[in-house]
Amino acid sequence: MNEKHGKNAFLFVIVCVALDMLAFGLFIPVMPAYLEEITGKPGEDTVLVGGLLMATFGVVNFLSMPIIGNLSDKFGRRPVLIISIAGLCIDFIIMGFAHSLLVLFIGRALAGLTSATYSTASSYIADVTEPEERGKAFGMIGAAFGIGFVLGPILGGVLGDIDTRLPFFVAAGIAACNFLYGLLVLPESLLKENRRPFELRRANPFGAFKHFSKLPQVSWFIVGVGIFGLSHSVFSSTWSYHGEIRYEWTPNEIGLSLALVGIGSAFVQGFLTGRLTKSIGPVRTALFGLAVTTFSMFLFASAVYGWMAYAFLAVSAFGGVAGPATQQLMTGVTPKNAQGELQGALASVQALSTTIIGPLIMSQTLSYFAKPEAIVQFKGANFVLAGILAALAFIPFMKGVRANRGVVRSIDEEVKHGDTPKSAEEVAELAEANAAAEAEGSDTESTDTQTN
């Protein structure tokens, strides 16, 4: 832990993220009923509207996130976090008063423009923690999200039974309190000597991809994160609608199921991730998480009764270790003054996968196969698609590991033994040394063969 900031700074940003997620989780249980109220259409159709709303958020988020990440590298994390929270507060107010889809889309676009909480919080954590502690620290961010999801959906379900719009106004109030909290007590984490000038060519989503494509050990992992995000978008984009369509869940029941998701996430990422990465290393931890996620998606697809879906949530929670473990590998090979850019690139990939492409394909899949006129009516088809995508995420992840065997093995062993992983520059030197050694070994074998 960076002594200049100490544990208090770490606690501040964790609370900030938890409050932000609490506000966000409030309105998710009422979205199916809320959209049915506005459109007058059944759940099989409103799930498409929900997917488009999320995709609108994602498109704007995708275009703006690298800019926000680069701005945080220049001006610091604190102002970016505060502006982001203010934008979400305004969005909640707009959604609370909305009576047309146009107004809803405007609100979601505004939220996408300012939403930088997770990526900036990740950069903040990278600023104030030592490299060997980051796996546990990123797990704590996941736990903060989980805590927000425990309280938010439960409260949202109760409020939604009173009035479908009440959760939005309560969420706006929480976001306003979070804004004041950040304004008054959140310290800056990025030291002036670690800041860098803003460069427009590096502050766009495609520029970010181009920059990190030069680092295979990062770019392959980013691709894996993107595919994994496509799979995981089945929860954020269709879980509420799926519960209403398949099990006829009420907002209260949807809120309870989401609360269980939050409890599992808080436990696994808050208590298990750090221990697991130090026990078996980040690589095996990530592989374990990918395997559990793939398996659990097919379990959800087979869950014909609501109680089965509740039971399978306990299994799927263990897949949550994949994200923090992968983050630990990526941040370990990235310089300190580019952590914001890394998180911006990751956020762009995640926006593309989890809030643009994912919601569109998942909502389309659920809507089509849930209707009686479908060729095969199967209300779990969206989870079958999610399981296939989760399995495909193994490919780029393993390519990233194999392309940098020596470096990744070094990081893995150092984390397990509690040592400080090498800096990004040392990692690059080690990679060059390994490549040279392998090339020399190949030349020696070739010479020996010719001599014989």
Side-chain angles (χ1 to χ4, degrees), residues 214-218 329-335 403-408 410-411 414 421-437:
K214 298 176 182 178
L215 300 171
Q217 69 271 32
V218 175
L329 290 172
M330 289 188 289
T331 58
V333 296
T334 303
N404 305 274
R405 288 186 295 270
V407 178
V408 170
S410 174
I411 295 174
E414 287 165 348
K422 295 175 175 61
S423 67
E425 291 77 9
E426 290 174 320
V427 167
E429 292 175 2
L430 180 59
E432 292 177 3
N434 287 342

PDB file of all heavy atoms in Angstrom, residues 214-218 329-335 403-408 410-411 414 421-437:
ATOM      1  N   LYS A 214       0.703  -3.396 -29.830  1.00  0.00           N
ATOM      2  CA  LYS A 214       2.160  -3.523 -29.883  1.00  0.00           C
ATOM      3  C   LYS A 214       2.695  -4.332 -28.702  1.00  0.00           C
ATOM      4  O   LYS A 214       3.871  -4.672 -28.668  1.00  0.00           O
ATOM      5  CB  LYS A 214       2.797  -2.131 -29.892  1.00  0.00           C
ATOM      6  CG  LYS A 214       2.402  -1.286 -31.103  1.00  0.00           C
ATOM      7  CD  LYS A 214       2.992   0.115 -30.993  1.00  0.00           C
ATOM      8  CE  LYS A 214       2.560   0.971 -32.165  1.00  0.00           C
ATOM      9  NZ  LYS A 214       3.081   2.359 -32.056  1.00  0.00           N
ATOM     10  N   LEU A 215       1.834  -4.601 -27.718  1.00  0.00           N
ATOM     11  CA  LEU A 215       2.235  -5.388 -26.542  1.00  0.00           C
ATOM     12  C   LEU A 215       1.421  -6.669 -26.513  1.00  0.00           C
ATOM     13  O   LEU A 215       0.325  -6.704 -25.960  1.00  0.00           O
ATOM     14  CB  LEU A 215       1.987  -4.580 -25.261  1.00  0.00           C
ATOM     15  CG  LEU A 215       2.730  -3.246 -25.147  1.00  0.00           C
ATOM     16  CD1 LEU A 215       2.234  -2.475 -23.949  1.00  0.00           C
ATOM     17  CD2 LEU A 215       4.226  -3.477 -25.071  1.00  0.00           C
ATOM     18  N   PRO A 216       1.926  -7.743 -27.124  1.00  0.00           N
ATOM     19  CA  PRO A 216       1.146  -8.979 -27.226  1.00  0.00           C
ATOM     20  C   PRO A 216       0.652  -9.504 -25.887  1.00  0.00           C
ATOM     21  O   PRO A 216      -0.458 -10.007 -25.795  1.00  0.00           O
ATOM     22  CB  PRO A 216       2.136  -9.970 -27.870  1.00  0.00           C
ATOM     23  CG  PRO A 216       3.113  -9.103 -28.578  1.00  0.00           C
ATOM     24  CD  PRO A 216       3.250  -7.868 -27.758  1.00  0.00           C
ATOM     25  N   GLN A 217       1.480  -9.348 -24.831  1.00  0.00           N
ATOM     26  CA  GLN A 217       1.071  -9.871 -23.535  1.00  0.00           C
ATOM     27  C   GLN A 217      -0.138  -9.121 -22.983  1.00  0.00           C
ATOM     28  O   GLN A 217      -0.842  -9.627 -22.110  1.00  0.00           O
ATOM     29  CB  GLN A 217       2.232  -9.820 -22.533  1.00  0.00           C
ATOM     30  CG  GLN A 217       2.647  -8.424 -22.097  1.00  0.00           C
ATOM     31  CD  GLN A 217       3.701  -7.812 -22.984  1.00  0.00           C
ATOM     32  OE1 GLN A 217       3.753  -8.075 -24.182  1.00  0.00           O
ATOM     33  NE2 GLN A 217       4.561  -6.990 -22.395  1.00  0.00           N
ATOM     34  N   VAL A 218      -0.391  -7.916 -23.490  1.00  0.00           N
ATOM     35  CA  VAL A 218      -1.564  -7.153 -23.075  1.00  0.00           C
ATOM     36  C   VAL A 218      -2.709  -7.332 -24.069  1.00  0.00           C
ATOM     37  O   VAL A 218      -3.849  -7.560 -23.679  1.00  0.00           O
ATOM     38  CB  VAL A 218      -1.231  -5.651 -22.918  1.00  0.00           C
ATOM     39  CG1 VAL A 218      -2.482  -4.847 -22.600  1.00  0.00           C
ATOM     40  CG2 VAL A 218      -0.186  -5.447 -21.833  1.00  0.00           C
ATOM     41  N   LEU A 329      -2.450  -9.502 -14.099  1.00  0.00           N
ATOM     42  CA  LEU A 329      -1.450  -9.797 -15.121  1.00  0.00           C
ATOM     43  C   LEU A 329      -1.216  -8.593 -16.031  1.00  0.00           C
ATOM     44  O   LEU A 329      -0.080  -8.252 -16.365  1.00  0.00           O
ATOM     45  CB  LEU A 329      -1.896 -11.001 -15.955  1.00  0.00           C
ATOM     46  CG  LEU A 329      -1.890 -12.365 -15.252  1.00  0.00           C
ATOM     47  CD1 LEU A 329      -2.547 -13.419 -16.131  1.00  0.00           C
ATOM     48  CD2 LEU A 329      -0.468 -12.778 -14.894  1.00  0.00           C
ATOM     49  N   MET A 330      -2.310  -7.942 -16.433  1.00  0.00           N
ATOM     50  CA  MET A 330      -2.188  -6.822 -17.375  1.00  0.00           C
ATOM     51  C   MET A 330      -1.530  -5.600 -16.742  1.00  0.00           C
ATOM     52  O   MET A 330      -0.664  -4.968 -17.354  1.00  0.00           O
ATOM     53  CB  MET A 330      -3.565  -6.456 -17.932  1.00  0.00           C
ATOM     54  CG  MET A 330      -4.121  -7.493 -18.897  1.00  0.00           C
ATOM     55  SD  MET A 330      -5.648  -6.946 -19.715  1.00  0.00           S
ATOM     56  CE  MET A 330      -6.788  -7.024 -18.334  1.00  0.00           C
ATOM     57  N   THR A 331      -1.935  -5.243 -15.519  1.00  0.00           N
ATOM     58  CA  THR A 331      -1.343  -4.067 -14.885  1.00  0.00           C
ATOM     59  C   THR A 331       0.116  -4.298 -14.531  1.00  0.00           C
ATOM     60  O   THR A 331       0.895  -3.348 -14.454  1.00  0.00           O
ATOM     61  CB  THR A 331      -2.115  -3.678 -13.605  1.00  0.00           C
ATOM     62  OG1 THR A 331      -2.119  -4.783 -12.698  1.00  0.00           O
ATOM     63  CG2 THR A 331      -3.539  -3.271 -13.925  1.00  0.00           C
ATOM     64  N   GLY A 332       0.502  -5.558 -14.347  1.00  0.00           N
ATOM     65  CA  GLY A 332       1.882  -5.866 -14.008  1.00  0.00           C
ATOM     66  C   GLY A 332       2.858  -5.582 -15.122  1.00  0.00           C
ATOM     67  O   GLY A 332       4.051  -5.415 -14.878  1.00  0.00           O
ATOM     68  N   VAL A 333       2.385  -5.523 -16.362  1.00  0.00           N
ATOM     69  CA  VAL A 333       3.272  -5.269 -17.498  1.00  0.00           C
ATOM     70  C   VAL A 333       3.005  -3.908 -18.140  1.00  0.00           C
ATOM     71  O   VAL A 333       3.397  -3.674 -19.273  1.00  0.00           O
ATOM     72  CB  VAL A 333       3.134  -6.387 -18.554  1.00  0.00           C
ATOM     73  CG1 VAL A 333       3.599  -7.705 -17.990  1.00  0.00           C
ATOM     74  CG2 VAL A 333       1.705  -6.499 -19.063  1.00  0.00           C
ATOM     75  N   THR A 334       2.345  -3.023 -17.394  1.00  0.00           N
ATOM     76  CA  THR A 334       2.026  -1.697 -17.909  1.00  0.00           C
ATOM     77  C   THR A 334       2.664  -0.632 -17.031  1.00  0.00           C
ATOM     78  O   THR A 334       2.549  -0.702 -15.807  1.00  0.00           O
ATOM     79  CB  THR A 334       0.494  -1.479 -17.937  1.00  0.00           C
ATOM     80  OG1 THR A 334      -0.103  -2.509 -18.720  1.00  0.00           O
ATOM     81  CG2 THR A 334       0.144  -0.121 -18.530  1.00  0.00           C
ATOM     82  N   PRO A 335       3.362   0.364 -17.616  1.00  0.00           N
ATOM     83  CA  PRO A 335       3.998   1.418 -16.821  1.00  0.00           C
ATOM     84  C   PRO A 335       2.984   2.198 -15.983  1.00  0.00           C
ATOM     85  O   PRO A 335       1.811   2.295 -16.335  1.00  0.00           O
ATOM     86  CB  PRO A 335       4.630   2.335 -17.883  1.00  0.00           C
ATOM     87  CG  PRO A 335       4.784   1.459 -19.083  1.00  0.00           C
ATOM     88  CD  PRO A 335       3.637   0.506 -19.057  1.00  0.00           C
ATOM     89  N   ALA A 403       2.445 -16.712 -25.492  1.00  0.00           N
ATOM     90  CA  ALA A 403       3.307 -15.770 -26.210  1.00  0.00           C
ATOM     91  C   ALA A 403       4.336 -15.134 -25.279  1.00  0.00           C
ATOM     92  O   ALA A 403       5.336 -14.588 -25.741  1.00  0.00           O
ATOM     93  CB  ALA A 403       2.465 -14.684 -26.867  1.00  0.00           C
ATOM     94  N   ASN A 404       4.093 -15.190 -23.964  1.00  0.00           N
ATOM     95  CA  ASN A 404       4.989 -14.565 -22.995  1.00  0.00           C
ATOM     96  C   ASN A 404       5.246 -15.512 -21.830  1.00  0.00           C
ATOM     97  O   ASN A 404       5.126 -15.127 -20.660  1.00  0.00           O
ATOM     98  CB  ASN A 404       4.360 -13.263 -22.488  1.00  0.00           C
ATOM     99  CG  ASN A 404       4.000 -12.311 -23.611  1.00  0.00           C
ATOM    100  OD1 ASN A 404       4.829 -11.541 -24.063  1.00  0.00           O
ATOM    101  ND2 ASN A 404       2.761 -12.383 -24.074  1.00  0.00           N
ATOM    102  N   ARG A 405       5.591 -16.752 -22.168  1.00  0.00           N
ATOM    103  CA  ARG A 405       5.703 -17.795 -21.144  1.00  0.00           C
ATOM    104  C   ARG A 405       6.623 -17.401 -19.991  1.00  0.00           C
ATOM    105  O   ARG A 405       6.266 -17.516 -18.834  1.00  0.00           O
ATOM    106  CB  ARG A 405       6.202 -19.106 -21.776  1.00  0.00           C
ATOM    107  CG  ARG A 405       5.180 -19.810 -22.650  1.00  0.00           C
ATOM    108  CD  ARG A 405       5.701 -21.159 -23.097  1.00  0.00           C
ATOM    109  NE  ARG A 405       6.872 -21.029 -23.957  1.00  0.00           N
ATOM    110  CZ  ARG A 405       6.811 -20.926 -25.286  1.00  0.00           C
ATOM    111  NH1 ARG A 405       5.632 -20.917 -25.894  1.00  0.00           N
ATOM    112  NH2 ARG A 405       7.902 -20.820 -26.003  1.00  0.00           N
ATOM    113  N   GLY A 406       7.818 -16.922 -20.324  1.00  0.00           N
ATOM    114  CA  GLY A 406       8.777 -16.610 -19.274  1.00  0.00           C
ATOM    115  C   GLY A 406       8.315 -15.469 -18.379  1.00  0.00           C
ATOM    116  O   GLY A 406       8.430 -15.542 -17.156  1.00  0.00           O
ATOM    117  N   VAL A 407       7.781 -14.422 -18.990  1.00  0.00           N
ATOM    118  CA  VAL A 407       7.354 -13.252 -18.231  1.00  0.00           C
ATOM    119  C   VAL A 407       6.173 -13.592 -17.334  1.00  0.00           C
ATOM    120  O   VAL A 407       6.161 -13.274 -16.145  1.00  0.00           O
ATOM    121  CB  VAL A 407       6.973 -12.095 -19.181  1.00  0.00           C
ATOM    122  CG1 VAL A 407       6.482 -10.895 -18.380  1.00  0.00           C
ATOM    123  CG2 VAL A 407       8.166 -11.698 -20.033  1.00  0.00           C
ATOM    124  N   VAL A 408       5.177 -14.264 -17.904  1.00  0.00           N
ATOM    125  CA  VAL A 408       3.979 -14.611 -17.141  1.00  0.00           C
ATOM    126  C   VAL A 408       4.326 -15.575 -16.010  1.00  0.00           C
ATOM    127  O   VAL A 408       3.816 -15.451 -14.896  1.00  0.00           O
ATOM    128  CB  VAL A 408       2.901 -15.217 -18.064  1.00  0.00           C
ATOM    129  CG1 VAL A 408       1.750 -15.794 -17.258  1.00  0.00           C
ATOM    130  CG2 VAL A 408       2.381 -14.163 -19.031  1.00  0.00           C
ATOM    131  N   SER A 410       7.122 -15.717 -14.466  1.00  0.00           N
ATOM    132  CA  SER A 410       7.818 -14.935 -13.450  1.00  0.00           C
ATOM    133  C   SER A 410       6.828 -14.177 -12.559  1.00  0.00           C
ATOM    134  O   SER A 410       6.933 -14.195 -11.329  1.00  0.00           O
ATOM    135  CB  SER A 410       8.772 -13.938 -14.119  1.00  0.00           C
ATOM    136  OG  SER A 410       9.356 -13.082 -13.162  1.00  0.00           O
ATOM    137  N   ILE A 411       5.845 -13.532 -13.181  1.00  0.00           N
ATOM    138  CA  ILE A 411       4.823 -12.798 -12.422  1.00  0.00           C
ATOM    139  C   ILE A 411       4.038 -13.756 -11.542  1.00  0.00           C
ATOM    140  O   ILE A 411       3.777 -13.490 -10.364  1.00  0.00           O
ATOM    141  CB  ILE A 411       3.877 -12.047 -13.373  1.00  0.00           C
ATOM    142  CG1 ILE A 411       4.636 -10.952 -14.124  1.00  0.00           C
ATOM    143  CG2 ILE A 411       2.694 -11.444 -12.613  1.00  0.00           C
ATOM    144  CD1 ILE A 411       3.816 -10.253 -15.184  1.00  0.00           C
ATOM    145  N   GLU A 414       6.174 -14.909  -8.556  1.00  0.00           N
ATOM    146  CA  GLU A 414       6.435 -13.828  -7.606  1.00  0.00           C
ATOM    147  C   GLU A 414       5.201 -13.519  -6.768  1.00  0.00           C
ATOM    148  O   GLU A 414       5.293 -13.243  -5.576  1.00  0.00           O
ATOM    149  CB  GLU A 414       6.918 -12.592  -8.359  1.00  0.00           C
ATOM    150  CG  GLU A 414       8.350 -12.739  -8.870  1.00  0.00           C
ATOM    151  CD  GLU A 414       8.717 -11.696  -9.906  1.00  0.00           C
ATOM    152  OE1 GLU A 414       7.803 -11.001 -10.393  1.00  0.00           O
ATOM    153  OE2 GLU A 414       9.902 -11.576 -10.220  1.00  0.00           O
ATOM    154  N   PRO A 421       6.304  -8.084  -8.055  1.00  0.00           N
ATOM    155  CA  PRO A 421       6.549  -8.380  -9.466  1.00  0.00           C
ATOM    156  C   PRO A 421       7.410  -7.309 -10.106  1.00  0.00           C
ATOM    157  O   PRO A 421       7.424  -6.150  -9.669  1.00  0.00           O
ATOM    158  CB  PRO A 421       5.130  -8.387 -10.064  1.00  0.00           C
ATOM    159  CG  PRO A 421       4.232  -8.695  -8.917  1.00  0.00           C
ATOM    160  CD  PRO A 421       4.878  -8.031  -7.744  1.00  0.00           C
ATOM    161  N   LYS A 422       8.102  -7.663 -11.141  1.00  0.00           N
ATOM    162  CA  LYS A 422       8.984  -6.725 -11.828  1.00  0.00           C
ATOM    163  C   LYS A 422       8.184  -5.597 -12.467  1.00  0.00           C
ATOM    164  O   LYS A 422       7.014  -5.749 -12.777  1.00  0.00           O
ATOM    165  CB  LYS A 422       9.788  -7.481 -12.893  1.00  0.00           C
ATOM    166  CG  LYS A 422      10.728  -8.513 -12.303  1.00  0.00           C
ATOM    167  CD  LYS A 422      11.404  -9.295 -13.396  1.00  0.00           C
ATOM    168  CE  LYS A 422      12.450 -10.249 -12.812  1.00  0.00           C
ATOM    169  NZ  LYS A 422      11.863 -11.222 -11.899  1.00  0.00           N
ATOM    170  N   SER A 423       8.839  -4.464 -12.688  1.00  0.00           N
ATOM    171  CA  SER A 423       8.184  -3.346 -13.344  1.00  0.00           C
ATOM    172  C   SER A 423       7.951  -3.690 -14.814  1.00  0.00           C
ATOM    173  O   SER A 423       8.489  -4.668 -15.336  1.00  0.00           O
ATOM    174  CB  SER A 423       9.053  -2.092 -13.253  1.00  0.00           C
ATOM    175  OG  SER A 423      10.242  -2.279 -14.024  1.00  0.00           O
ATOM    176  N   ALA A 424       7.173  -2.840 -15.499  1.00  0.00           N
ATOM    177  CA  ALA A 424       6.894  -3.094 -16.910  1.00  0.00           C
ATOM    178  C   ALA A 424       8.179  -3.093 -17.738  1.00  0.00           C
ATOM    179  O   ALA A 424       8.338  -3.879 -18.670  1.00  0.00           O
ATOM    180  CB  ALA A 424       5.925  -2.030 -17.437  1.00  0.00           C
ATOM    181  N   GLU A 425       9.102  -2.167 -17.375  1.00  0.00           N
ATOM    182  CA  GLU A 425      10.358  -2.094 -18.124  1.00  0.00           C
ATOM    183  C   GLU A 425      11.198  -3.364 -17.904  1.00  0.00           C
ATOM    184  O   GLU A 425      11.787  -3.906 -18.839  1.00  0.00           O
ATOM    185  CB  GLU A 425      11.149  -0.853 -17.677  1.00  0.00           C
ATOM    186  CG  GLU A 425      10.508   0.474 -18.093  1.00  0.00           C
ATOM    187  CD  GLU A 425       9.319   0.860 -17.234  1.00  0.00           C
ATOM    188  OE1 GLU A 425       9.079   0.189 -16.189  1.00  0.00           O
ATOM    189  OE2 GLU A 425       8.611   1.818 -17.593  1.00  0.00           O
ATOM    190  N   GLU A 426      11.229  -3.846 -16.667  1.00  0.00           N
ATOM    191  CA  GLU A 426      11.971  -5.085 -16.373  1.00  0.00           C
ATOM    192  C   GLU A 426      11.321  -6.274 -17.060  1.00  0.00           C
ATOM    193  O   GLU A 426      12.010  -7.185 -17.532  1.00  0.00           O
ATOM    194  CB  GLU A 426      12.017  -5.317 -14.865  1.00  0.00           C
ATOM    195  CG  GLU A 426      12.910  -4.330 -14.117  1.00  0.00           C
ATOM    196  CD  GLU A 426      12.804  -4.516 -12.619  1.00  0.00           C
ATOM    197  OE1 GLU A 426      11.694  -4.744 -12.108  1.00  0.00           O
ATOM    198  OE2 GLU A 426      13.851  -4.434 -11.957  1.00  0.00           O
ATOM    199  N   VAL A 427       9.996  -6.257 -17.134  1.00  0.00           N
ATOM    200  CA  VAL A 427       9.290  -7.341 -17.817  1.00  0.00           C
ATOM    201  C   VAL A 427       9.656  -7.360 -19.289  1.00  0.00           C
ATOM    202  O   VAL A 427       9.888  -8.418 -19.886  1.00  0.00           O
ATOM    203  CB  VAL A 427       7.761  -7.170 -17.639  1.00  0.00           C
ATOM    204  CG1 VAL A 427       7.013  -8.082 -18.594  1.00  0.00           C
ATOM    205  CG2 VAL A 427       7.360  -7.491 -16.220  1.00  0.00           C
ATOM    206  N   ALA A 428       9.711  -6.160 -19.897  1.00  0.00           N
ATOM    207  CA  ALA A 428      10.066  -6.077 -21.322  1.00  0.00           C
ATOM    208  C   ALA A 428      11.482  -6.604 -21.555  1.00  0.00           C
ATOM    209  O   ALA A 428      11.738  -7.329 -22.522  1.00  0.00           O
ATOM    210  CB  ALA A 428       9.941  -4.635 -21.805  1.00  0.00           C
ATOM    211  N   GLU A 429      12.415  -6.212 -20.657  1.00  0.00           N
ATOM    212  CA  GLU A 429      13.792  -6.698 -20.781  1.00  0.00           C
ATOM    213  C   GLU A 429      13.856  -8.215 -20.628  1.00  0.00           C
ATOM    214  O   GLU A 429      14.592  -8.899 -21.339  1.00  0.00           O
ATOM    215  CB  GLU A 429      14.669  -6.027 -19.731  1.00  0.00           C
ATOM    216  CG  GLU A 429      14.871  -4.542 -19.960  1.00  0.00           C
ATOM    217  CD  GLU A 429      15.648  -3.890 -18.839  1.00  0.00           C
ATOM    218  OE1 GLU A 429      16.046  -4.618 -17.909  1.00  0.00           O
ATOM    219  OE2 GLU A 429      15.859  -2.662 -18.894  1.00  0.00           O
ATOM    220  N   LEU A 430      13.062  -8.735 -19.677  1.00  0.00           N
ATOM    221  CA  LEU A 430      13.040 -10.181 -19.460  1.00  0.00           C
ATOM    222  C   LEU A 430      12.478 -10.897 -20.687  1.00  0.00           C
ATOM    223  O   LEU A 430      12.982 -11.955 -21.078  1.00  0.00           O
ATOM    224  CB  LEU A 430      12.189 -10.506 -18.229  1.00  0.00           C
ATOM    225  CG  LEU A 430      12.057 -11.995 -17.863  1.00  0.00           C
ATOM    226  CD1 LEU A 430      13.437 -12.592 -17.592  1.00  0.00           C
ATOM    227  CD2 LEU A 430      11.153 -12.174 -16.640  1.00  0.00           C
ATOM    228  N   ALA A 431      11.476 -10.305 -21.305  1.00  0.00           N
ATOM    229  CA  ALA A 431      10.892 -10.912 -22.504  1.00  0.00           C
ATOM    230  C   ALA A 431      11.912 -10.979 -23.633  1.00  0.00           C
ATOM    231  O   ALA A 431      12.025 -11.985 -24.330  1.00  0.00           O
ATOM    232  CB  ALA A 431       9.666 -10.112 -22.942  1.00  0.00           C
ATOM    233  N   GLU A 432      12.671  -9.882 -23.801  1.00  0.00           N
ATOM    234  CA  GLU A 432      13.701  -9.859 -24.840  1.00  0.00           C
ATOM    235  C   GLU A 432      14.789 -10.896 -24.545  1.00  0.00           C
ATOM    236  O   GLU A 432      15.275 -11.575 -25.453  1.00  0.00           O
ATOM    237  CB  GLU A 432      14.311  -8.464 -24.936  1.00  0.00           C
ATOM    238  CG  GLU A 432      13.337  -7.411 -25.460  1.00  0.00           C
ATOM    239  CD  GLU A 432      13.960  -6.024 -25.477  1.00  0.00           C
ATOM    240  OE1 GLU A 432      15.167  -5.917 -25.132  1.00  0.00           O
ATOM    241  OE2 GLU A 432      13.259  -5.057 -25.834  1.00  0.00           O
ATOM    242  N   ALA A 433      15.151 -10.997 -23.272  1.00  0.00           N
ATOM    243  CA  ALA A 433      16.179 -11.967 -22.888  1.00  0.00           C
ATOM    244  C   ALA A 433      15.707 -13.392 -23.141  1.00  0.00           C
ATOM    245  O   ALA A 433      16.463 -14.235 -23.652  1.00  0.00           O
ATOM    246  CB  ALA A 433      16.539 -11.790 -21.412  1.00  0.00           C
ATOM    247  N   ASN A 434      14.448 -13.672 -22.812  1.00  0.00           N
ATOM    248  CA  ASN A 434      13.899 -15.011 -23.054  1.00  0.00           C
ATOM    249  C   ASN A 434      13.853 -15.339 -24.533  1.00  0.00           C
ATOM    250  O   ASN A 434      14.165 -16.447 -24.959  1.00  0.00           O
ATOM    251  CB  ASN A 434      12.491 -15.120 -22.457  1.00  0.00           C
ATOM    252  CG  ASN A 434      12.513 -15.188 -20.947  1.00  0.00           C
ATOM    253  OD1 ASN A 434      13.540 -15.483 -20.358  1.00  0.00           O
ATOM    254  ND2 ASN A 434      11.382 -14.907 -20.308  1.00  0.00           N
ATOM    255  N   ALA A 435      13.428 -14.333 -25.330  1.00  0.00           N
ATOM    256  CA  ALA A 435      13.354 -14.552 -26.781  1.00  0.00           C
ATOM    257  C   ALA A 435      14.737 -14.817 -27.351  1.00  0.00           C
ATOM    258  O   ALA A 435      14.924 -15.691 -28.203  1.00  0.00           O
ATOM    259  CB  ALA A 435      12.719 -13.333 -27.455  1.00  0.00           C
ATOM    260  N   ALA A 436      15.733 -14.051 -26.874  1.00  0.00           N
ATOM    261  CA  ALA A 436      17.102 -14.242 -27.353  1.00  0.00           C
ATOM    262  C   ALA A 436      17.628 -15.610 -26.951  1.00  0.00           C
ATOM    263  O   ALA A 436      18.298 -16.293 -27.735  1.00  0.00           O
ATOM    264  CB  ALA A 436      18.008 -13.137 -26.796  1.00  0.00           C
ATOM    265  N   ALA A 437      17.311 -16.016 -25.706  1.00  0.00           N
ATOM    266  CA  ALA A 437      17.770 -17.322 -25.222  1.00  0.00           C
ATOM    267  C   ALA A 437      17.153 -18.450 -26.033  1.00  0.00           C
ATOM    268  O   ALA A 437      17.825 -19.419 -26.388  1.00  0.00           O
ATOM    269  CB  ALA A 437      17.419 -17.475 -23.743  1.00  0.00           C
TER     270      ALA A 437
END
